[in-house]
């Protein structure tokens, strides 16, 4: 099986799983994001292992779950927002645990531990809130995250194919030699095309708002991809992992989501609603 065939097969499976979990309701959607979060965190910590600096994987996983579940409970009105205060003792306990861990570089380990939560968990917390932003607040709207996923996939797929077939001018040669301006333009065109199609069925956002959302996703998703490429280049590796044949690791597949999720969240709150 060729690399393109593996990529297509794995991508199709991911689309089915993600769209099914998103469509089935808030609990399956949250379970999906928790799985993405934990797998991405463990992959991140594996990549950034430093001799003499030990990351607190269990502490980070617990902190991530508290952040995501307490936020989910608050926005769905299942629990009080006061449960989010549990983040304080959990985060502090990570520092306390470092006092009893005999390592040469404790603060490097702490820095990497919290960096993973900041760049992976917090963006996913933003994305977890997106289905509940439309009125009435607290109601789950499948179309919001599904539309965002479709725009992300349209951009990623078209950028990959356009860059492969038409790419001539590097977008950011120092960081990602294979990413081209032609690919970026192709990804933007595909995202805008999908936005036009979604506008025929999507009543929560106007066509103009969908177009702005598409541009936001393309720009921030591209920078998210470049930041991941910067990480891999600094570590001199090709892929962040092997869990997804043809795509690499979790960070390889969800870098665009992590880069764009906070901006999608901010846009929907500040501009659309």
């Amino acid at each position: 099986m060729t690399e393109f065939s593996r990529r297509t097969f794995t991508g199709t499976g991911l689309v089915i799983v993600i769209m099914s979990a998103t469509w089935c309701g808030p609990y399956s959607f949250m379970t999906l994001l928790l799985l993405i979060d934990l797998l991405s965190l463990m992959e991140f910590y594996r990549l950034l292992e430093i001799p003499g600096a030990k990351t607190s994987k269990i502490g980070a996983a617990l902190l991530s779950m508290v952040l995501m579940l307490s936020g989910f409970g608050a926005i769905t009105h299942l629990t009080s927002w006061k449960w989010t205060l549990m983040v304080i003792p959990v985060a502090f306990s990570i520092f306390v645990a470092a006092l009893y861990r005999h390592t040469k570089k404790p603060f490097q380990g702490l820095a990497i531990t919290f960096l993973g939560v900041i760049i992976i968990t917090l963006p996913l917390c933003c994305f977890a809130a997106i289905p509940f932003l439309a009125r009435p607040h607290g109601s789950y709207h499948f179309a919001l995250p599904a539309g965002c996923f479709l725009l992300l996939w349209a951009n990623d797929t078209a950028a990959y194919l356009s860059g492969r077939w038409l790419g001539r001018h590097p977008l950011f040669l120092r960081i990602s030699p294979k990413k081209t301006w032609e690919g970026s333009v192709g990804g933007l065109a595909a995202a805008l095309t999908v936005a036009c199609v979604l506008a025929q069925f999507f009543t929560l956002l106007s066509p103009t708002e969908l177009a702005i959302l598409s541009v936001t996703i393309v720009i921030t998703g591209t920078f998210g991809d470049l930041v991941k490429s910067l990480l891999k280049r600094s570590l001199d590796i090709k892929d962040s992992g092997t869990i997804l044949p043809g795509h690499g690791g979790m960070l390889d597949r969800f870098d665009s989501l992590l880069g764009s999720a906070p901006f999608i969240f901010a846009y929907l709150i500040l501009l659309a609603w």
Side-chain angles (χ1 to χ4, degrees), residues 14-32:
L14 277 174
V15 169
I16 294 172
V17 170
I18 290 174
M19 294 303 285
S20 297
T22 306
W23 180 80
C24 285
Y27 299 109
S28 60
F29 176 69
M30 195 63 199
T31 301
L32 170 70

Side-chain angles (χ1 to χ4, degrees), residues 84-244:
T84 58
L85 296 177
M86 286 295 297
V87 168
I88 297 173
V90 173
F92 187 68
S93 68
I94 296 176
F95 285 96
V96 173
L99 295 173
Y100 297 92
R101 190 178 295 121
H102 299 288
T103 57
K104 294 182 179 180
K105 302 175 181 178
F107 263 84
Q108 284 89 332
L110 287 169
I112 294 172
T113 298
F114 283 99
L115 179 62
V117 175
I118 291 170
I119 68 172
I120 294 173
T121 303
L122 292 185
L124 289 176
C125 285
C126 292
F127 197 74
I130 287 172
F132 306 96
L133 292 180
R135 291 181 175 87
H137 290 296
S139 300
Y140 179 80
H141 294 270
F142 156 77
L144 285 174
C148 291
F149 275 127
L150 290 173
L151 292 172
L152 280 165
W153 293 333
N155 174 50
D156 288 347
T157 303
Y160 172 77
L161 294 176
S162 299
R164 184 176 180 180
W165 294 335
L166 305 173
R168 295 293 183 274
H169 303 86
L171 177 67
F172 215 120
L173 183 61
R174 180 174 63 88
I175 303 299
S176 184
K178 292 184 178 181
K179 195 172 290 297
T180 63
W181 280 102
E182 290 83 359
S184 297
V185 172
L188 177 60
L192 289 173
T193 301
V194 171
C196 291
V197 175
L198 289 176
Q200 308 304 314
F201 311 96
F202 202 81
T203 58
L204 295 172
L205 292 174
S206 69
T208 300
E209 289 170 337
L210 271 172
I212 296 173
L213 180 63
S214 300
V215 175
T216 301
I217 285 176
V218 170
I219 294 175
T220 57
T222 299
F223 276 104
D225 188 294
L226 288 170
V227 170
K228 179 264 298 176
S229 297
L230 178 64
L231 170 65
K232 294 195 298 183
R233 184 161 289 273
S234 67
L235 297 173
D236 196 24
I237 58 174
K238 181 178 183 295
D239 294 318
S240 64
T242 58
I243 192 172
L244 300 172

